[in-house]
Amino acid sequence: MKNIYSNIYSFNQKILVKTIKSLKQGNIVSLPTETVYGLAGNAYSNKAVKKIFKMKKRPKINPLIIHYFSSKNICDDVILNRNFKKLYRKFCPGPITFILKKSKNSKVCSLATANLKTVAVRFPKNQIIRKILKFSRFPLAMPSANISSGLSPVDVLDVFDEFKKKIKIIINGGKSKIGIESTVVDLTGRPKILRPGIIGINEIKKVIKIDFSKKKVKIKSPGMLKKHYSPGIPVIMNKKPENSKHAYIVFGKKDKIKNNYFNLSKKANLKEAASNLYKTMRKIKKMGYKKIFVAKIPKNGLGLAINDRLLRASK
Ligand code: TXA
Ligand code: MG
């Protein structure tokens, strides 16, 4: 019998060499990170980055995050500053992305940064992607491995669902530990959180000063405005469904658990809820439900990031 998943590989030395060779040739591969799975290509190659946008059907105005092995590798591409150094020391490698000014001689192709004068840089912690970054001579432009505006994938089967055989190499790193995307911090002016994540505002606040003003700023993250993280069916927040035909996402201990109830975390643990969020929404859609209602989820700590994703999904 033919193996339909023949493009999914376990990680070993042989696949490491094969992946780096493929990336060098300008191909796109899917790799695990601690947050979600990504669609990776050579960030210095216009040809590779073009493929990523095409594959994801991503609007050209939405820039990509560039992934590096360490801060030593970014000096030519971006302009470092003190806030970056402080946060890097505290949180990297880890699930946090920094927006920095692009340097004049930056080799990151302008398509990857949507022609902006800034670059988003990240240093993932997952050991598989770290090995790949260590041995490749270029950083990786890597958005989440899903068709634009959909849910990020948290395991190889999710990636396969999105792209089937269009990707030649999908590396299996198991289920993503965190399950939602990295925190994005803009460090080009007064530091601002552009996308909440598992590294929370309170932790960041202990290291640098954050600007909380709601003052209207020029749109910094074009991709963050539109509908995003959508399961492909309507999501209604803070509301119970009227009948059992609709799915109900709940959180914490519930007395009456019905067939259409999906609990993100019975223990009311926000980390567990974050790691189950996308998987649960994918499952609900696959089961044929036409709408998802979501119970109130606390807004403290990681709950902020969960509510942020749900809110965008509901737009
Ligand atoms: O956890 C993650 O960050 C995952 C894994 C694969 O690393 N990646 C990810 O990438 O979530 P993506 O493309 O799905 O989301 C990147 C976000 C987008 O909302 C984009 O607008 C923003 O980062 N972004 C990228 N470059 C930017 C820039 N120069 N200025 C402002 N926002 C930027
Ligand atoms: Mg994404």
Side-chain angles (χ1 to χ4, degrees), residues 36-37 56 58 62 142-153 181 195 228-229 278:
V36 298
Y37 275 71
K56 270 187 70 92
R58 182 171 174 119
N62 192 4
M142 188 164 73
S144 51
N146 54 277
I147 304 292
S148 190
S149 89
L151 297 172
S152 296
E181 308 79 3
R195 178 171 77 181
H228 230 99
Y229 315 110
Y278 292 151

